[in-house]
Amino acid sequence: MPLPWTREGSSFGFGSGGAHLPQPSWFADASVQAEEGDPASTLSLYRRALALRHELLALERLEWVETGRGDVLRFRRPNGWEVVTVFGSAPLALSFVPGQRVVLSSTPLDGDTVPGETTVWITGD
């Protein structure tokens, strides 16, 4: 599926010749043009993640962290960067060691609680 760039046009900015398949009207709201100025948009989340990725580079190893929940995935990288994903709908209360902090979240957090269907990146230790 092509990336929608603009709010208008038969291909939403993906090429000048029009789309070879019909594009759904909801593409307009998911276009780069629509999400550009919204700090809560998926585009903004991905841009923050890409910028952080350069800071968080580490050896290509990870350590799985047991969470006690089958719907939660957590792993730690050698430089202290952790990723926690809650796949289910139930929230997860995080426990931090001194110096740890959330640097990226796919949805807003409620204190130290990760809502369901959310991923967070944690740094420090």
Side-chain angles (χ1 to χ4, degrees):
M1 183 134 332
L3 175 68
W5 290 97
T6 62
R7 293 178 187 255
E8 299 173 349
S10 65
S11 67
F12 295 100
F14 187 75
S16 59
H20 65 283
L21 295 173
Q23 304 300 300
S25 60
W26 62 264
F27 265 25
D29 294 332
S31 69
V32 171
Q33 185 180 42
E35 293 193 355
E36 188 75 50
D38 181 1
S41 71
T42 301
L43 178 65
S44 294
L45 173 69
Y46 273 75
R47 285 180 172 168
R48 287 191 310 273
L50 288 170
L52 278 169
R53 205 175 119 199
H54 293 289
E55 296 174 29
L56 300 173
L57 287 177
L59 296 174
E60 292 297 322
R61 288 193 318 253
L62 60 86
E63 170 192 345
W64 295 107
V65 178
E66 180 56 49
T67 65
R69 286 183 45 181
D71 65 339
V72 176
L73 176 122
R74 186 171 187 167
F75 63 86
R76 182 178 301 121
R77 300 292 301 273
N79 62 352
W81 171 31
E82 292 188 29
V83 175
V84 179
T85 299
V86 179
F87 290 98
S89 59
L92 172 73
L94 287 176
S95 57
F96 293 103
V97 298
Q100 279 188 318
R101 64 189 175 91
V102 173
V103 294
L104 186 74
S105 179
S106 62
T107 59
L109 302 184
D110 182 12
D112 291 344
T113 301
V114 180
E117 301 175 350
T118 299
T119 294
V120 296
W121 291 3
I122 302 168
T123 62
D125 55 13

